[in-house]
Amino acid sequence: MDRLTAMQVFVEVAHSGSFSATADKLDMSRAMVTRYVGALEQWLGARLLQRTTRSVTLTDAGESCLRRSQQMLALMGNVEEETSRHDGVLRGQLRITCSVSFAYAQMAAAVVDFLQLYPELKIDLNASEGALNLVETRIDLAIRISAEPDPTLIGRVLAPCGSVLVASPAYLRAHGTPQQPSDLGRHRCLSYANFGKSIWKLQRGEAIEEVGVGSHFSGNEATALLQAALAGGGIAMQPTYLANPHLRDASLEAVLPDWALPTMGIYALYPSRKHLSPAVRALLDFLVERFAKVPWA
């Protein structure tokens, strides 16, 4: 069996702690994942993973093999990049990450358009709400929405990220439309808080209001709260890249449209300027140009 592929499979199992998750990610059967790991263990003459019904953990030999495998895969990536420099064709694989909502609304389509320009490239998009360690997870580029991006990373601003309060017409007919920020405290609100109250900050001119809203439905991800709002579940704070299409087709209505919510930035972040590959640089330039004129405005 191909030893480089076996190393890639082993690294993914080590990161995910799951043969099934690795099979899904690499688009192969769980039996094939097991075969690759077994072949690597046979080749090295050492057990790399401790397997139980609930978990997969690294042995001491596995820890050493993980480091060496990551180095080998990185070296292979460098070989592909060097080849790209000589013939002008971008090859290899890029690993990028962004939030689930931004992947759904913008990044999936952006990746498709980028790959049409560079068909020899492959892209692995990790849609996740967690703050991944870019070095440990071998992420080449992270798209993150933040007021203050991680200062240890290099960043380029792609676009502003505004937010708006929205609710379905059916909800507003049943419960009334808030006329001022303090009215929100009497409404069913859909919140990003895990529990307790959320504080929503609104501004109109010099006036600033901070309202504590009780949340009967909270979630950690914007598209879930969007669907809850569309279903008439209450008032949600939504990024405009998700909300604007629904405001245009009137499936949602803006709540307190004269009041502004804080604006954050959408950043492309990467670990270091040194040895930035041509493929990553090409993707960065593509995204900067694509989002220069905010497509969802």
Side-chain angles (χ1 to χ4, degrees), residues 50-128:
Q50 295 286 3
R51 307 161 177 85
T52 69
T53 56
R54 294 186 177 182
S55 66
V56 177
T57 56
L58 290 168
T59 63
D60 289 343
E63 293 278 4
S64 177
C65 182
L66 177 61
R67 291 192 297 271
R68 295 301 186 185
S69 295
Q70 289 172 322
Q71 290 170 355
M72 289 291 292
L73 293 171
L75 180 60
M76 188 61 200
N78 291 340
V79 170
E80 291 177 333
E81 290 167 10
E82 289 295 331
T83 304
S84 298
R85 291 190 181 99
H86 289 302
D87 64 9
V89 178
L90 297 182
R91 296 185 179 87
Q93 181 171 16
L94 294 180
R95 295 168 61 89
I96 62 179
T97 184
C98 70
S99 69
V100 173
S101 63
F102 198 69
Y104 165 80
Q106 295 295 324
M107 277 302 294
V111 166
V112 170
D113 291 344
F114 178 72
L115 289 176
Q116 288 177 349
L117 299 176
Y118 303 102
E120 296 297 315
L121 279 174
K122 298 177 182 178
I123 288 183
D124 176 18
L125 173 59
N126 182 321
S128 171

Side-chain angles (χ1 to χ4, degrees), residues 203-208 258-260:
Q203 183 170 1
R204 184 174 65 182
E206 298 298 319
I208 296 176
D258 294 338
W259 290 82

